[in-house]
Amino acid sequence: MAYAVITPYIVPVEIQNKKAVNIGDGFILNNLIKLLYPAECKYLFTSRKELSENDIDKINSTKALILAGANQLNDNFIIVPGMSLATLAKIKVPVVPFGIGIHGIPKQNIDMSNTTKEILRAIHERISFSSWRCPLTIQYLNNSLPELLDNFLLTGCPVMYDDKILDDAGFYHQAKTVVVTVTERQDFWDRETKTINFVANKYRKSRKILSLHQDFLEIKSNLQNNQDSIWNTLKIKVLKKYDKTPLSLRNYARDKGFQIFKPTSVDECLSFYNSCDLHIGSRLHAHLYFLSQAKKSFLTYVDERCIGFSNLLEFPICDFNNLNEYFNYDFEIYRKNCINYFTNMQKFVDYLQEKVL
């Protein structure tokens, strides 16, 4: 009952100067493995690099190749770079999407390419069901491949599910330790500083943590050849106190009484979150994880990837200018919807364990 997994959580050395590891992708992988237990994840591969012949041999020594979820599905999705129908034919075991969602960035899910359609059709010739994470993803798939609509299961994301949210225990009400997650890309400054300000003012006596799901400061940009990069501000003495860079956001949070938490592994991050009480911030998978533990969480908008989950589970996407308006949300609405969609997830997991693995 061994399987292999392709995940975006692994960032190859060759692109670490462009791409930061996302701990949220690790959350997905971690919960996927838990859901498929006692089947064993024997091999891990990255979705950011071509598969070698040796990789394919390892995959073929298992029962299935699982494609671990994240926002990977776009108009040109091909599983890994260089994938073709000829390469896919070399993989003799079923290839199974698990909790994958649409890209979420504008113009990435407009018109599915013929190559993507061919690959998804070929995958589904060997499997009865695939798992997709939100209604917007299902709509995109159904519009692009209507002949496969009975194969697409709306399961949500693996990170949504834990015994604590699926049983009848009430949501946790403490706020001794409050976690703020940030997304330090695009026009992040206003959103993240206003969230920090809100938490600093509302929870003056609480321990306050700024948690980094991606450390963009570790990206080794070529500053000499990129004069317009925000990273230029990091190689010279900063003239202003806050210059709207990831580094100055952390200094801003420290000045507001926050500690900085930069997890070095999924286990470290989850262990720390288990000791915390409340989450407010822009990281979707921190939001889903806290809710899975029946702890309150409030998510601010970054891009469209959170809209599908909001539609699925009926939680609010918070305006960072008016965060206090959302604190009367009834979290039992979330629990009810989570339990409802866990039926689909259990159907999918049962199918994999009984028919595929």
Side-chain angles (χ1 to χ4, degrees):
M1 292 179 68
Y3 58 91
V5 173
I6 289 179
T7 172
Y9 180 53
I10 301 170
V11 178
V13 173
E14 303 94 298
I15 64 168
Q16 287 179 2
N17 64 332
K18 300 177 182 178
K19 181 66 181 178
V21 173
N22 185 344
I23 204 78
D25 292 336
F27 285 12
I28 299 169
L29 176 63
N30 181 76
N31 274 37
L32 182 157
I33 291 171
K34 285 172 62 177
L35 284 166
L36 289 180
Y37 181 82
E40 175 194 1
C41 177
K42 191 172 183 180
Y43 299 111
L44 286 176
F45 303 98
T46 177
S47 60
R48 307 180 190 280
K49 185 178 180 180
E50 287 189 46
L51 293 171
S52 68
E53 293 295 329
N54 185 51
D55 294 337
I56 292 173
D57 288 342
K58 289 179 179 178
I59 290 167
N60 287 335
S61 72
T62 70
K63 292 287 188 179
L65 175 61
I66 308 296
L67 310 182
N71 60 317
Q72 300 177 68
L73 182 62
N74 60 26
D75 290 335
N76 298 298
F77 174 71
I78 56 171
I79 303 176
V80 296
M83 179 62 76
S84 65
L85 289 178
T87 306
L88 189 59
K90 295 179 181 178
I91 299 175
K92 304 303 182 183
V93 298
V95 178
V96 190
F98 195 144
I100 291 177
I102 57 170
H103 193 277
I105 304 298
K107 300 182 180 180
Q108 292 284 343
N109 296 105
I110 303 299
D111 184 19
M112 187 181 286
S113 68
N114 288 332
T115 299
T116 299
K117 290 179 182 179
E118 289 172 352
I119 284 176
L120 289 175
R121 287 190 186 107
I123 285 173
H124 285 85
E125 288 175 1
R126 303 185 195 173
I127 59 175
S128 299
F129 299 113
S130 52
S131 156
W132 307 90
R133 76 184 196 179
C134 76
L136 296 182
T137 305
I138 292 291
Q139 181 181 3
Y140 174 69
L141 287 165
N142 287 347
N143 290 343
S144 304
L145 294 163
E147 70 274 21
L148 294 179
L149 62 89
D150 290 337
N151 301 95
F152 303 139
L153 288 181
L154 177 54
T155 63
C157 174
V159 180
M160 290 164 42
Y161 303 114
D162 188 271
D163 290 344
K164 296 180 182 65
I165 190 66
L166 297 174
D167 66 23
D168 294 327
F171 265 79
Y172 198 63
H173 288 283
Q174 295 292 326
K176 294 178 182 178
T177 301
V178 182
V179 174
V180 170
T181 57
V182 292
T183 306
E184 301 162 303
R185 54 180 170 79
Q186 300 174 334
D187 296 325
F188 66 87
W189 186 261
D190 199 33
R191 176 186 66 237
E192 306 302 356
T193 54
K194 286 184 177 178
T195 304
I196 290 167
N197 290 344
F198 172 82
V199 171
N201 291 329
K202 187 176 180 68
Y203 299 102
R204 295 178 184 274
K205 295 183 180 180
S206 300
R207 182 188 181 200
K208 293 173 282 292
I209 308 295
L210 191 80
S211 180
L212 307 174
H213 276 217
Q214 284 180 291
D215 186 2
F216 292 103
L217 297 185
E218 288 191 351
I219 296 178
K220 302 175 181 64
S221 296
N222 186 345
L223 298 172
Q224 298 294 328
N225 298 327
N226 190 8
Q227 296 302 314
D228 295 326
S229 170
I230 62 169
W231 306 105
N232 263 342
T233 60
L234 304 179
K235 68 171 183 175
I236 61 175
K237 183 177 180 179
V238 177
L239 299 178
K240 294 185 295 184
K241 186 174 183 182
Y242 303 121
D243 57 356
K244 299 187 178 182
T245 64
L247 179 61
S248 63
L249 181 67
R250 299 170 200 193
N251 291 333
Y252 185 93
R254 286 190 184 96
D255 290 346
K256 293 289 183 177
F258 283 73
Q259 297 171 277
I260 309 301
F261 173 60
K262 186 175 74 171
T264 58
S265 70
V266 171
D267 286 346
E268 180 190 14
C269 191
L270 295 181
S271 177
F272 180 70
Y273 282 179
N274 289 343
S275 71
C276 300
D277 307 309
L278 171 68
H279 167 260
I280 303 171
S282 59
R283 285 290 176 171
L284 174 62
H285 287 94
H287 179 64
L288 295 178
Y289 183 75
F290 269 81
L291 292 171
S292 78
Q293 304 302 299
K295 295 180 179 181
K296 293 182 179 181
S297 177
F298 299 90
L299 182 70
T300 56
Y301 179 86
V302 174
D303 56 40
E304 293 298 300
R305 71 192 73 180
C306 63
I307 298 291
F309 280 101
S310 176
N311 292 346
L312 181 75
L313 298 160
E314 297 183 90
F315 62 77
I317 299 172
C318 303
D319 178 357
F320 57 81
N321 293 296
N322 301 289
L323 283 166
N324 218 38
E325 292 185 6
Y326 304 93
F327 275 64
N328 289 327
Y329 172 70
D330 181 2
F331 283 89
E332 292 306 318
I333 296 171
Y334 181 95
R335 186 199 302 278
K336 176 193 72 176
N337 288 306
C338 189
I339 291 170
N340 180 41
Y341 285 103
F342 185 66
T343 303
N344 282 357
M345 178 61 84
Q346 193 62 61
K347 175 181 177 180
F348 178 67
V349 169
D350 288 347
Y351 161 69
L352 288 183
Q353 291 179 332
E354 295 170 10
K355 304 295 185 182
V356 177
L357 300 177

